Amino acid sequence: SNDKDCGRYVDFTVDGRDGRLTFGKHRGRLVSELVKTEDGKKYLRWVMLKTFPDDFKALITTHLERRAR
């Protein structure tokens, strides 16, 4: 895993279950917060289509799926 790469985009929480974005219009917001709004979800889905580190995408996928349940 390329954790160093991932650090350019997200600061993982200590338990690794969440992360705070370090870039873009939602910089400083947690993935768990973003999945609660349509705008946030739209942004995260955009991230999924782009070239971002796998561990960042895995975190997003986990939160999107949890929210969909």
Side-chain angles (χ1 to χ4, degrees), residues 8-39:
R8 298 208 314 262
Y9 305 108
V10 65
D11 279 333
F12 283 97
T13 52
V14 179
D15 63 9
R17 292 183 180 176
D18 206 352
R20 205 171 283 284
L21 270 58
T22 58
F23 73 101
K25 68 174 183 174
H26 291 298
R27 159 188 248 133
R29 297 190 59 199
L30 290 166
V31 172
S32 60
E33 286 172 13
L34 289 172
V35 295
K36 293 176 183 171
T37 68
E38 271 316 308
D39 183 54

Side-chain angles (χ1 to χ4, degrees), residues 2-69:
N2 43 357
D3 299 297
K4 203 161 69 251
D5 262 14
C6 207
R8 298 208 314 262
Y9 305 108
V10 65
D11 279 333
F12 283 97
T13 52
V14 179
D15 63 9
R17 292 183 180 176
D18 206 352
R20 205 171 283 284
L21 270 58
T22 58
F23 73 101
K25 68 174 183 174
H26 291 298
R27 159 188 248 133
R29 297 190 59 199
L30 290 166
V31 172
S32 60
E33 286 172 13
L34 289 172
V35 295
K36 293 176 183 171
T37 68
E38 271 316 308
D39 183 54
K41 280 190 288 198
K42 204 164 107 184
Y43 188 74
L44 293 174
R45 286 195 283 261
W46 170 83
V47 167
M48 296 301 289
L49 298 173
K50 303 292 174 190
T51 309
F52 285 104
D54 289 343
D55 45 356
F56 181 28
K57 288 186 170 187
L59 176 72
I60 291 171
T61 300
T62 299
H63 282 274
L64 284 171
E65 286 174 352
R66 192 177 295 155
R67 195 71 195 161
R69 268 187 236 134

